[in-house]
Amino acid sequence: MIPLNEPFDLVLFGSTGDLATRKLLPALFSLHFDERLPSDWRLIALFRRQHDDFLDALQKSIMSKHSFDDKTVKTKWNAFIKHIVTFSFDATEPGNYGELKQVVDQKPNVNTIFYLATPSALYGKIASGLAKAHINTPNSRIVLEKPIGSNLESAVKINQLVCRHFKEHQIFRIDHYLGKETVQNLLVLRFANTIFESQWNQKYIDNIQITISETLGVEERAEFYDHVGALRDMGQNHLLQLLCIVAMEPPARFTPDAVRDEKVKVLRALRTLTDQDVHKKVVRGQYASGISNGNAVEGYLDEEGVDPSSETETYVAMKVEIDNWRWAGVPFYLRTGKRLVHRACEIVVHFKEVPHSIFDLQHKNTMANKLVFRLQPDEGIRLMLCEKKRGPGVSVRSTELSLSPDYLNRKRVPDAYERLLGDVISNNQTLFVRQDELIAAWDWLDPILKHWDESEQGPESYIAGSWGPAAATLLLAKDGRLWDETCRPLKGDEADSVIKESGS
Ligand code: BG6
């Protein structure tokens, strides 16, 4: 693994939040554990109220995340905490920025990374507080968590405020789905091979489905989530970013702006939704009580912290069309939801059927080729093909070519935040969202939000532990299609490139 050489200070706003303790700080510890960090780094952890048990809680969260069976874990933890400075800080209190400057100034020659894991309404205030106290320099970086804004107008405003004090090359808008291993593998598969790219268009592809399904409910984030909902939490960023990676043209180079230039073209080519389209092509749902992972769970409206009359969606499905030569007539079906039957994230590329079958048509629907990119819980790629069933006569069956990476056999798969944190430290913006992408995504989404605001019809309820509302099944049924719901885990013994049967 490549070491990260530049000394740095990571100033983390919102250090006790769910994101920091569940994802970000465990990722930082993993980089430290793997000895990828330079010797000179500090985490300046800011939180509003003093938390005496911060380190204990963090240790618990980190150790529960990975099974570090290495005997050195205790020693590594003790070394890790020596890099941490905790600091009581209120972002709305101007005087606090002067005190922060004193801490940052203790290390004048390191790169300072400001990581904003707070509600985005605070981003402008924090950026200007840092500037007024002269804490940021031309070498500083600022990382912004999603969702940035709650609609087009607020996203534009927040960006303008941050851009007054930081240049675009200093701003890292993070979407952790871009840090997942399979996403990069998808880029390599598309752009380092000729066989797929030549088929990657409306001539050969029938439809593409992107599913991010979660079994979790809103957990401890109910208050935040109830103001946000699935479309802003997952749709505006993760789903649309995955769509961009699948649909973009080949960039001329693998450089930050070349990649992002192509992604933004996809977002700008998304067919604008009229009010009628939103009604026909977008489905929103909210989970009711049910069974999740074998346990009875309550409905969204009964969750602590949720307004009992809330119309916030916990599920969204949409049919998206891209108006360009490559994708004319190919629907992209996107969906995400909480409290669904499985935890999985898959991109399924459905190829067209052969124009004329000379074989028995009994299994026609299952015979079209499919390329499945599985992002989680395990990661891998598989291609569904047809072959002759062994034995007398000629009957055709579906078979599977698995291209699962060898790291499936390793003990620990690096987390998306590890990669992206490493990219911030080494100043590589390729996997971060540029301002024009963010605005284009909100621009496309705004009609949906407006339509929902004005609509008298709330989200359709679905049973926790199901695949979501019935209207989502109908969305595809109207087009004569079905959601791909195989979502089968890959196993360790499938880690090599092997051809496996998948029924007859
Ligand atoms: C976050 C959302 O961006 O992604 C959460 O805010 C969601 O609501 C999470 O649970 C899912 O991430 P992952 O990597 O666990 O699929």
Side-chain angles (χ1 to χ4, degrees):
M1 278 190 256
I2 309 160
L4 304 160
N5 294 323
E6 303 271 314
F8 66 90
D9 267 355
L10 177 65
V11 183
L12 180 57
F13 296 77
S15 296
T16 51
D18 178 76
L19 172 81
T21 44
R22 251 183 354 111
K23 304 245 186 200
L24 193 55
L25 295 176
L28 186 67
F29 180 74
S30 297
L31 290 172
H32 163 81
F33 186 87
D34 289 344
E35 297 175 5
R36 292 196 56 210
L37 298 179
S39 53
D40 193 7
W41 67 273
R42 288 190 303 172
L43 166 69
I44 303 174
L46 310 184
F47 27 73
R48 281 186 69 177
R49 271 167 255 110
Q50 195 58 42
H51 280 270
D52 295 333
D53 59 351
F54 172 69
L55 288 178
D56 288 343
L58 182 60
Q59 185 178 17
K60 225 182 256 166
S61 163
I62 288 175
M63 298 309 155
S64 69
K65 250 196 124 50
H66 299 303
S67 48
F68 293 105
D69 51 5
D70 193 302
K71 293 196 182 64
T72 58
V73 68
K74 188 123 190 94
T75 322
K76 295 231 173 155
W77 170 257
N78 290 338
F80 181 71
I81 55 177
K82 289 202 180 112
H83 292 270
I84 303 180
V85 180
T86 56
F87 192 75
S88 180
F89 183 89
D90 181 346
T92 60
E93 188 51 63
N96 283 182
Y97 290 86
E99 293 162 31
L100 177 60
K101 182 170 166 51
Q102 289 177 13
V103 180
V104 171
D105 281 353
Q106 292 163 355
K107 296 257 178 190
N109 297 321
V110 304
N111 293 323
T112 312
I113 299 164
F114 303 104
Y115 198 118
L116 275 50
T118 65
S120 64
L122 283 175
Y123 292 177
K125 207 173 259 310
I126 294 176
S128 93
L130 294 171
K132 279 191 192 140
H134 306 287
I135 309 180
N136 60 323
T137 69
N139 288 333
S140 313
R141 289 157 215 164
I142 187 164
V143 186
L144 307 180
E145 268 293 340
K146 43 92 3 203
I148 301 177
S150 55
N151 55 20
L152 177 62
E153 195 188 344
S154 56
V156 168
K157 201 159 164 210
I158 292 168
N159 273 287
Q160 280 170 349
L161 292 174
V162 174
C163 289
R164 276 189 202 156
H165 309 292
F166 290 86
K167 301 242 174 328
E168 184 61 31
H169 70 85
Q170 297 176 282
I171 305 175
F172 289 72
R173 295 178 194 83
I174 196 163
D175 184 315
H176 77 278
Y177 268 65
L178 294 181
K180 294 193 188 265
E181 182 71 16
T182 311
V183 172
Q184 275 116 82
N185 209 350
L186 198 159
L187 287 171
V188 174
L189 201 90
R190 280 195 62 193
F191 303 131
N193 296 293
T194 48
I195 51 170
F196 292 114
E197 200 46 29
S198 57
Q199 314 285 304
W200 214 255
N201 55 51
Q202 40 79 22
K203 260 195 204 155
Y204 299 101
I205 292 179
D206 179 77
N207 73 94
I208 295 182
Q209 301 182 12
I210 306 179
T211 297
I212 308 177
S213 62
E214 298 186 271
T215 50
L216 289 180
V218 285
E219 311 304 301
E220 271 87 55
R221 299 162 73 223
E223 229 168 285
F224 157 82
Y225 193 87
D226 207 30
H227 291 104
V228 174
L231 186 63
R232 293 180 176 100
D233 186 42
M234 304 288 284
Q236 186 274 337
N237 29 72
H238 305 328
L239 280 175
L240 287 185
Q241 283 295 321
L242 293 180
L243 169 82
C244 287
I245 298 284
V246 179
M248 69 197 251
E249 295 298 317
R253 280 177 282 291
F254 194 54
T255 57
D257 277 335
V259 171
R260 297 183 301 175
D261 284 347
E262 297 308 332
K263 278 166 50 199
V264 78
K265 283 185 208 161
V266 175
L267 292 166
R268 289 185 181 145
L270 297 182
R271 185 173 305 168
T272 308
L273 297 173
T274 62
D275 255 7
Q276 275 224 330
D277 290 332
V278 177
H279 189 64
K280 280 199 261 169
K281 298 180 186 172
V282 185
V283 172
R284 58 175 163 157
Q286 189 184 70
Y287 64 82
S289 59
I291 306 283
S292 175
N293 286 333
N295 299 316
V297 291
E298 53 193 8
Y300 179 71
L301 297 180
D302 296 321
E303 300 270 17
E304 207 181 315
V306 170
D307 172 357
S309 59
S310 171
E311 295 206 331
T312 299
E313 78 290 354
T314 59
Y315 176 100
V316 66
M318 41 198 177
K319 175 178 174 180
V320 180
E321 286 142 297
I322 303 177
D323 287 330
N324 64 17
W325 275 41
R326 187 186 282 265
W327 297 116
V330 180
F332 286 71
Y333 300 105
L334 276 43
R335 64 177 170 168
T336 183
K338 296 213 178 273
R339 284 275 186 249
L340 297 182
V341 61
H342 295 302
R343 174 172 185 253
C345 175
E346 285 195 348
I347 301 171
V348 185
V349 180
H350 290 260
F351 288 90
K352 289 188 170 163
E353 288 165 13
V354 291
H356 165 70
S357 176
I358 60 171
F359 302 109
D360 182 358
L361 288 183
Q362 204 186 345
H363 303 296
K364 191 165 174 276
N365 287 340
T366 56
M367 288 305 169
N369 299 134
K370 254 187 339 188
L371 185 57
V372 181
F373 296 89
R374 188 169 170 90
L375 280 72
Q376 59 192 30
D378 43 2
E379 308 206 338
I381 300 172
R382 52 184 201 268
L383 176 64
M384 313 300 290
L385 299 161
C386 289
E387 68 166 6
K388 179 189 168 295
K389 198 171 168 181
R390 259 178 235 184
V394 179
S395 87
V396 180
R397 69 174 166 192
S398 177
T399 192
E400 179 180 310
L401 179 64
S402 170
L403 304 168
S404 305
D406 60 2
Y407 62 67
L408 280 182
N409 287 331
R410 281 203 230 139
K411 278 189 197 139
R412 195 177 65 78
V413 178
D415 179 71
Y417 270 95
E418 273 172 62
R419 177 186 313 271
L420 295 176
L421 213 43
D423 285 353
V424 178
I425 296 167
S426 59
N427 205 11
N428 180 350
Q429 285 187 311
T430 310
L431 298 174
F432 292 82
V433 179
R434 209 169 53 189
Q435 179 172 199
D436 50 358
E437 287 180 74
L438 177 86
I439 300 304
W442 276 119
D443 191 30
W444 182 77
L445 224 75
D446 240 25
I448 308 179
L449 295 169
K450 284 193 182 129
H451 178 88
W452 285 354
D453 268 355
E454 287 155 16
S455 165
E456 292 188 350
Q457 203 182 341
E460 184 184 330
S461 136
Y462 61 94
I463 297 173
S466 70
W467 266 117
T473 309
L474 274 178
L475 179 72
L476 269 72
K478 281 187 284 190
D479 294 348
R481 298 188 176 99
L482 289 169
W483 288 104
D484 194 278
E485 283 172 356
T486 39
C487 287
R488 218 169 34 70
L490 294 165
K491 300 206 186 74
D493 56 3
E494 291 177 346
D496 299 323
S497 280
V498 289
I499 292 180
K500 291 214 91 199
E501 286 186 5
S502 68
S504 51

